[in-house]
Amino acid sequence: MSRKRIVLFHTGGTLGMALPEGRRLDLGPRDHLQRLLARVPELCEIADIDLVAPWNLDSSDVGPAHWQQLADAIAAQFAADGPRCDGVVVIHGTDTMAYTASALAFMLRGLDRPVVLTGSQRPLEAWRTDARANLAAAVECATLDVPEVTVVFGDRVLRGCRATKVDANDYQAFDSPNEAPLGRIGVSVDLDAARIRRPMQAFALARDLGTGVLGMTVFPGLDPAMLDGMLAHAAGRVRVVLVRAFGMGNVPILGGAGLVGAIGRLVARGTDVVVTTQCLRGRAQLDLYPNGRALLDAGAIGAGDMTFEAAATKAMWALGHPDRSVRLWFGADLAGEVGA
Ligand code: ASP
C-alpha cells in the first residue's frame, strides 16, 4: 500500500512554545515543520507529512471563528481535486482542545478519515517532554481506520466530542468519563474497532455557528435574582443557557427557591435552557427527583451524559442550523456525543 499523506495543522499551545520563557514562536509553516521533524524524526517514517500553520495561540484565545477557519481548511484538504490527504492532525493547546474537538465533530459531517487533536503538557524542546510521544501517536492514529474526530493524548485514543481535560499537570491530561477510550496506546495501538463510527452520509461541511450561549454553574446560595438581573441586561442576546446542575440534574426548589422560576421565565421568553451535570461521570436525568422534574416542568432540556464542552459547542452549532429547534438537535446524537 502507498504511504499515507498526513497534514498537520499547527495551532499553538504548549507543544509549540519555545524554551526557556515559553515564548510563542513566530514561524512560517516550513520552519514549524523542520522544528517538529528535528525533534520527532520518526514522523517521516510513519507517513508523508505536510504542515499548515493557521495561527499560533494559547488555546484560551481560540474560539468559534477559529473552529470555522479550521473546519474550512480541513474540508479543503479533503477536496477531491487537491493532493490526497489521508488524515489530519491538529496540534492544539490542551486548555480548550476538548471544545475544538467537539465543535469539529459537529461541523465535519460524514467524516470519512481521521481528524486527530493532540498537544502536550511540556514544550517540544523540554527534557522529559510528552510532546514527542503524543505527536508520533497522533500521526500514527491519523494513518489508521478511525474516521472520527479524536483526541490522542498520553496512552489513549478518545472520541473528541466525549473528551474533557481532567488534569492540568498529569501526562494523562484527558479522559472521556462517560465513554470508554476508542483505543489504548502501548507497544501497539489497540483500537476498539466495533465502536468506531462509520460515516452515514457523504462528507459535508456544516460550519455555521450561532451566538448567544451562556453557561451557569449552580451552587448552594446562588441568588436567582442575579440571574434575572443579568439576563434582563442581556435581553434578546442570550439564546441558550447551559445550566450545570447538581448530580442527576438537580437544583434547589425548597421554599419556592427562585431558580426554577427564573428558568421558566427564560423559557417563556424563547430562550432554551439546557441542563448538564457538574459531575465528571453520569448524566442529567431530570425525571428522577422532584428537584430535576421542576426543571422539566419549567421547560428545560436535559443534556444526558454530554460533557459541558460538547453541550456548549452543540448549542452554538444548533443555533447555526435553525432548520431544527435547539430541543430537537439536543434530542439527536450527531457525532457520538451523547449516550442512549
Ligand atoms: N495554555 C496552554 C494552551 O492551552 C496549555 C497547553 O497547551 O497545555 O494553549
Side-chain angles (χ1 to χ4, degrees):
M1 205 177 77
S2 68
R3 275 166 65 80
K4 301 256 171 131
R5 175 175 173 264
I6 304 299
V7 177
L8 300 185
F9 284 82
H10 194 310
T11 72
T14 294
L15 192 148
M17 278 174 11
L19 292 173
E21 71 278 33
R23 266 179 311 119
R24 269 195 269 137
L25 282 172
D26 205 10
L27 300 179
R30 194 184 299 254
D31 292 333
H32 267 307
L33 184 57
Q34 266 173 11
R35 175 175 174 261
L36 292 185
L37 294 181
R39 292 279 165 179
V40 199
E42 61 269 39
L43 296 183
C44 291
E45 286 173 41
I46 304 170
D48 292 334
I49 308 287
D50 277 319
L51 186 140
V52 183
W55 65 80
N56 188 7
L57 291 175
D58 187 292
S59 73
S60 312
D61 287 319
V62 171
H66 297 100
W67 305 334
Q68 289 179 315
Q69 188 186 338
L70 193 53
D72 290 344
I74 291 171
Q77 288 292 337
F78 292 167
D81 54 357
R84 201 189 75 238
C85 171
D86 297 299
V88 157
V89 171
V90 180
I91 297 170
H92 198 287
T94 58
D95 289 346
T96 68
M97 189 187 294
Y99 289 90
T100 301
S102 295
L104 288 178
F106 299 132
M107 293 193 285
L108 303 172
R109 313 298 307 145
L111 192 59
D112 57 0
R113 60 202 105 176
V115 172
V116 181
L117 283 87
T118 197
S120 66
Q121 296 280 52
R122 280 170 75 88
L124 185 61
E125 272 103 15
W127 49 268
R128 209 169 46 73
T129 183
D130 53 335
R132 180 172 181 176
N134 284 351
L135 197 51
V139 171
E140 182 175 354
C141 288
T143 66
L144 302 177
D145 184 21
V146 187
E148 292 205 33
V149 177
T150 56
V151 168
V152 169
F153 210 97
D155 64 4
R156 289 175 218 166
V157 182
L158 305 173
R159 177 162 288 147
C161 55
R162 289 291 203 157
T164 189
K165 184 175 178 181
V166 291
D167 206 305
N169 194 48
D170 201 275
Y171 278 0
Q172 305 298 335
F174 287 87
D175 199 357
S176 53
N178 282 325
E179 166 101 49
L182 294 179
R184 296 270 176 193
I185 300 162
V187 171
S188 55
V189 177
D190 292 325
L191 296 172
D192 190 347
R195 289 180 39 246
I196 291 168
R197 287 170 73 92
R198 301 281 147 198
M200 308 281 279
Q201 59 170 86
F203 176 70
L205 180 62
R207 71 185 301 280
D208 291 340
L209 300 171
T211 56
V213 178
L214 184 75
M216 186 193 76
T217 300
V218 178
F219 56 91
L222 172 67
D223 180 359
M226 295 173 81
L227 181 65
D228 269 333
M230 192 173 74
L231 293 172
H233 279 293
R237 272 189 289 142
V238 180
R239 296 165 69 199
V240 176
V241 176
L242 295 169
V243 176
R244 298 182 68 235
F246 304 129
M248 297 253 191
N250 300 313
V251 295
I253 55 171
L254 203 60
L259 184 60
V260 173
I263 286 173
R265 284 189 287 284
L266 275 175
V267 173
R269 220 184 54 193
T271 302
D272 285 294
V273 176
V274 175
V275 182
T276 64
T277 173
Q278 42 187 274
C279 292
L280 188 58
R281 289 196 179 74
R283 56 177 44 245
Q285 193 177 336
L286 304 186
D287 56 359
L288 207 60
Y289 293 94
N291 296 59
R293 279 201 293 276
L295 289 172
L296 277 184
D297 294 342
I301 303 163
D305 64 356
M306 293 175 68
T307 60
F308 183 81
E309 293 90 327
T313 51
K314 187 171 182 174
M316 292 180 221
W317 189 89
L319 290 170
H321 294 83
D323 46 312
R324 285 202 208 172
S325 66
V326 168
R327 181 180 292 277
L328 276 180
W329 281 126
F330 267 84
D333 176 14
L334 300 177
E337 73 278 9
V338 64

